[in-house]
């Protein structure tokens, strides 16, 4: 229940202004608590921002564990318009000869005569459109579509095309015919790929004839001049789970030469993407320790913000947030552990045992915090000449001295993320009690709540005191008026 307070009627004093000033003084400790709470929130968010960068690096390390990061392959073709290929990282370098004699095609059927109906004509409700096709497993599958009241030919064609039935249909205005074709290439059975009854809707109304169907062929090609013609139901063929050939045209009796080589540029780009992200993480960690701390710039209260422009608030808060993590041992220790991951030798029995051998070293400028510097020529040379040993250097999964650099970095990264998580939690851990900073924030929340209760009591006491004073003055004024009245009456 709100109580209306009106002061100063008897005394002429602006009691409300006096109480406001008294309460402003009383609120100083509360403002300090709220500033401390805000600072803890900023600190938590700063920790979480760093952890998000660590997570981004962690995701890249998954790619860095794969063979294709170091042993990417490129495939060139002498007949690029006819045959191309992609190769896995474990595909041996060499040349393949491919002669494409026939491309895989879809089966297609067209109305043998012009239709007597138009796409917008309504069809007879209850009539059924039935056909069957063969799936990839060689199983015959029948489909039936019952025409509903009000359905036009266009409606039915769309319904069939949108369904998962390996078939699409459409009306061609120029010829006044319907085209029906399979959505997958290849020959799956003897005879027509799309089959239907002779007295069906497809035959009678849409003028389809199964004997007129064309296509439904497999791709046919000869591999490495073997004389053996191989087939594929698609215009793609994967050999030994390593190299995949893509057929675009027949080769007119010629061989297409496809040469597999190491794609040094692709591997280099993958490693550089990882290095750039690592340097970004180092920059974030290191700069947090170098930021100047401005102790004379505490978080602004809401009252203070009212008297400032948006630009002034922004500039103030930039300084207030600066240096929040400076001197934090979790950050400095994590940065040290990340740097240390690169230094030790990796005893894998391969040619390379350290980063410097493949052209990567840490910056000599201490202000860089241990960023990685890459010698492009040296790294590309290592990837070209011995990608397998470069991979071992980075990804060897053994323990101890044989553990790869990425594995060591991942260990250090996970430890740092865990430590930060204990301090600052994450967006997935909303409970304040689940992390250290949250517990402190909750403690301050409880103190703020208790302090606000006390302030309410103090404000009530002030008003009660001034109200009592007003009543006393009012009584004195009344008594004075009575005395004056009596004296005046006796004259």
């Amino acid at each position: 229940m709100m109580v209306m307070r009106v002061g100063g009627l008897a005394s002429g004093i602006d009691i409300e202004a006096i109480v406001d000033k008294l309460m402003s003084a009383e609120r100083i400790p509360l403002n300090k608590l709220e500033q401390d709470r805000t600072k803890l929130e900023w600190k938590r968010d700063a920790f979480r921002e760093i952890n998000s960068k660590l997570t981004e690096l962690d995701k890249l390390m998954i790619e860095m564990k794969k063979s294709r990061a170091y042993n990417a392959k490129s495939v060139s073709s002498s007949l690029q318009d006819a045959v191309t290929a992609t190769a896995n990282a474990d595909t041996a370098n060499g040349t393949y000869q491919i002669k494409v004699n026939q491309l895989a095609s879809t089966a297609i059927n067209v109305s043998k005569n012009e239709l007597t109906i138009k796409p917008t004509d309504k069809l007879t409700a209850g009539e059924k459109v039935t056909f069957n096709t063969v799936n990839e497993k060689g199983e015959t599958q029948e489909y039936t579509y019952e025409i509903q009241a009000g359905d036009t030919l266009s409606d039915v064609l769309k319904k069939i095309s949108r369904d998962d039935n390996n078939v699409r249909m459409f009306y061609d205005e120029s010829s006044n015919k319907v085209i029906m074709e399979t959505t997958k290439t290849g020959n799956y059975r003897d005879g027509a790929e799309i089959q239907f009854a002779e007295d069906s809707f497809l035959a009678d109304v849409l003028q389809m004839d199964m004997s007129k169907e064309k296509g439904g062929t497999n791709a046919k090609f000869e591999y490495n001049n073997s004389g053996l013609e191989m087939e594929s139901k698609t215009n793609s063929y994967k050999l030994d789970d390593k190299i995949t050939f893509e057929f675009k045209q027949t080769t007119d009796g010629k061989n297409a030469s496809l040469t597999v080589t190491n794609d040094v540029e692709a591997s280099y780009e993958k490693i550089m993407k990882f290095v750039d992200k690592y340097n970004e993480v180092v920059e974030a960690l290191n700069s947090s320790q170098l930021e100047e701390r401005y102790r004379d710039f505490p978080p602004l209260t809401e009252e203070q913000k009212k008297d400032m422009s948006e630009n002034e608030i922004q500039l103030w808060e930039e300084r207030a947030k600066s240096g929040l993590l400076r001197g934090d041992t979790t950050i400095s220790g994590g940065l040290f552990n990340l740097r240390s991951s690169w230094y030790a030798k990796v005893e894998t029995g391969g040619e390379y045992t350290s980063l410097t051998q493949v052209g990567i070293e840490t910056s000599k400028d201490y202000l860089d915090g241990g960023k990685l510097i890459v010698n492009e020529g040296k790294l590309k040379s290592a990837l070209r000449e011995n990608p397998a040993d470069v991979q071992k250097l980075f990804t060897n999964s053994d323990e101890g001295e044989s553990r790869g650099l990425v594995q060591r970095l991942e260990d250090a990264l996970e430890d740092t993320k865990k430590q930060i998580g204990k301090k600052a939690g994450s967006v997935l851990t909303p409970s304040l009690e689940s992390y250290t900073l949250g517990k402190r924030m909750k403690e301050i929340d409880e103190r703020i709540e208790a302090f606000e209760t006390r302030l309410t009591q103090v404000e009530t006491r002030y008003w009660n005191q001034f109200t009592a004073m007003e009543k006393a003055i009012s009584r004195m004024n009344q008594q004075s008026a009575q005395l004056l009245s009596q004296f005046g009456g006796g004259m």
Side-chain angles (χ1 to χ4, degrees):
M1 176 178 172
M2 290 187 64
V3 178
M4 186 178 209
R5 294 164 170 170
V6 180
L9 294 178
S11 64
I13 300 172
D14 189 349
I15 294 175
E16 186 172 0
I18 293 174
V19 172
D20 285 345
K21 287 182 180 180
L22 289 170
M23 291 308 299
S24 293
E26 294 283 353
R27 285 193 182 92
I28 290 175
L30 177 61
N31 292 338
K32 179 65 169 60
L33 284 174
E34 290 175 341
Q35 287 172 323
D36 290 344
R37 175 65 159 78
T38 299
K39 210 162 189 176
L40 286 175
E41 284 185 354
W42 287 350
K43 193 168 186 178
R44 177 199 64 188
D45 294 344
F47 271 124
R48 289 182 179 181
E49 186 176 347
I50 284 180
N51 239 9
S52 68
K53 291 185 181 297
L54 296 179
T55 300
E56 290 172 6
L57 180 61
D58 202 14
K59 290 178 181 178
L60 270 184
M61 284 197 292
I62 295 174
E63 290 299 314
M64 289 298 292
K65 292 179 183 179
K66 297 177 181 178
S67 179
R68 65 189 181 199
Y70 313 92
N71 204 17
K73 300 291 182 177
S74 64
V75 185
S76 60
S77 172
S78 63
L79 296 175
Q80 191 76 19
D81 293 338
V83 189
T84 59
T86 55
N88 295 345
D90 56 350
T91 304
N93 290 351
T95 301
Y96 299 82
Q97 302 292 329
I98 300 293
K99 184 190 296 181
V100 181
N101 298 324
Q102 177 178 288
L103 293 178
S105 65
T106 59
I108 186 168
N109 204 337
V110 181
S111 304
K112 59 185 179 182
N113 301 311
E114 288 193 36
L115 302 185
T116 58
I117 60 173
K118 299 296 182 184
T120 55
D121 290 347
K122 292 182 179 180
L123 304 175
T124 304
E127 195 165 0
K128 295 180 180 180
V129 182
T130 301
F131 61 88
N132 69 73
T133 62
V134 177
N135 64 17
E136 284 80 357
K137 297 179 181 179
E139 301 166 338
T140 299
Q141 294 182 312
E142 185 169 277
Y143 302 93
T144 298
Y145 301 88
E146 184 172 347
I147 297 171
Q148 304 298 317
D151 277 354
T152 64
L153 174 60
S154 179
D155 294 332
V156 173
L157 297 183
K158 287 179 181 178
K159 190 182 300 183
I160 293 173
S161 296
R162 289 170 181 168
D163 198 10
D164 183 18
N165 55 22
N166 300 318
V167 166
R168 59 173 165 255
M169 299 184 72
F170 59 93
Y171 175 85
D172 178 53
E173 291 186 2
S174 61
S175 63
N176 193 23
K177 295 180 180 181
V178 167
I179 297 172
M180 186 178 195
E181 63 180 338
T182 57
T183 55
K184 64 181 189 301
T185 59
N187 181 13
Y188 290 86
R189 63 179 169 188
D190 293 334
E193 293 291 331
I194 307 170
Q195 297 187 355
F196 46 86
E198 292 183 359
D199 58 350
S200 66
F201 179 90
L202 291 175
D204 295 341
V205 179
L206 300 188
Q207 296 290 303
M208 295 282 180
D209 184 344
M210 282 195 303
S211 66
K212 303 294 184 182
E213 183 185 277
K214 296 179 181 179
T217 60
N218 295 337
K220 296 181 179 181
F221 64 99
E222 185 179 327
Y223 170 71
N224 274 359
N225 297 314
S226 62
L228 174 67
E229 189 172 60
M230 303 169 70
E231 294 191 20
S232 171
K233 292 190 181 300
T234 68
N235 287 308
S236 177
Y237 186 83
K238 193 168 189 176
L239 179 66
D240 197 26
D241 284 330
K242 292 183 178 180
I243 184 168
T244 302
F245 301 104
E246 300 290 342
F247 310 132
K248 300 176 180 179
Q249 296 179 19
T250 59
T251 57
D252 297 328
K254 302 175 184 177
N255 274 327
S257 295
L258 296 107
T259 304
V260 180
T261 57
N262 292 334
D263 191 346
V264 174
E265 287 297 329
S267 296
Y268 175 77
E269 289 302 321
K270 283 184 180 293
I271 293 176
M272 284 306 302
K273 184 178 180 181
F274 172 73
V275 167
D276 289 342
K277 179 57 68 174
Y278 173 82
N279 286 344
E280 184 182 320
V281 167
V282 168
E283 173 71 22
L285 293 172
N286 191 48
S287 62
S288 73
Q289 301 305 292
L290 298 177
E291 283 181 349
E292 187 172 351
R293 185 178 296 170
Y294 298 94
R295 300 185 185 278
D296 294 333
F297 287 80
L300 294 168
T301 65
E302 291 304 317
E303 287 297 319
Q304 289 171 326
K305 288 182 180 179
K306 290 178 182 178
D307 299 325
M308 301 172 68
S309 67
E310 288 187 10
N311 186 53
E312 287 173 333
I313 293 172
Q314 181 181 350
L315 292 174
W316 182 284
E317 291 193 342
E318 283 177 3
R319 291 206 165 189
K321 292 179 180 181
S322 179
L324 282 173
L325 303 183
R326 183 167 182 168
D328 184 87
T329 55
T330 300
I331 302 299
S332 58
L335 183 57
F336 175 80
N337 290 336
L338 291 181
R339 288 197 300 254
S340 299
S341 303
W342 301 113
Y343 297 146
K345 287 188 175 182
V346 181
E347 301 295 347
T348 63
E351 179 181 353
Y352 308 117
T353 60
S354 69
L355 267 184
T356 55
Q357 291 177 295
V358 296
I360 305 177
E361 60 183 6
T362 53
S363 172
K364 293 179 175 58
D365 186 346
Y366 78 94
L367 291 176
D368 283 343
K371 289 182 180 179
L372 297 179
I373 306 297
V374 178
N375 182 318
E376 181 178 349
K378 197 170 183 179
L379 177 56
K380 285 183 176 180
S381 177
L383 290 169
R384 185 179 300 107
E385 296 170 8
N386 196 346
D389 281 356
V390 174
Q391 181 179 348
K392 284 182 182 179
L393 174 67
F394 279 91
T395 68
N396 205 44
S397 58
D398 292 347
E399 298 296 331
E401 294 182 350
S402 297
R403 194 160 180 76
L405 296 174
V406 170
Q407 309 287 352
R408 295 177 186 181
L409 182 66
E410 184 178 48
D411 295 340
L413 198 67
E414 287 304 314
D415 182 65
T416 303
K417 285 173 61 181
K418 186 184 297 183
Q419 295 301 318
I420 290 177
K422 287 180 180 178
K423 282 192 173 183
S426 72
V427 292
L428 300 178
T429 54
S431 172
L432 294 177
E433 295 181 344
S434 61
Y435 54 96
T436 304
L437 290 176
K439 291 176 182 177
R440 291 169 58 187
M441 289 161 63
K442 184 179 180 182
E443 179 186 341
I444 291 178
D445 286 342
E446 291 171 351
R447 292 171 61 190
I448 288 174
E449 185 178 356
F451 203 94
E452 286 176 337
T453 300
R454 192 177 75 81
L455 285 178
T456 301
Q457 295 170 348
V458 170
E459 187 175 12
T460 300
R461 175 165 55 82
Y462 281 140
W463 274 104
N464 289 340
Q465 289 172 339
F466 279 110
T467 299
M469 182 191 75
E470 285 290 309
K471 288 179 179 178
I473 292 173
S474 179
R475 285 196 298 268
M476 290 175 64
N477 288 340
Q478 289 174 0
Q479 292 172 358
S480 177
Q482 288 175 357
L483 288 172
L484 288 173
S485 174
Q486 290 176 2
F487 284 127
M491 289 180 64

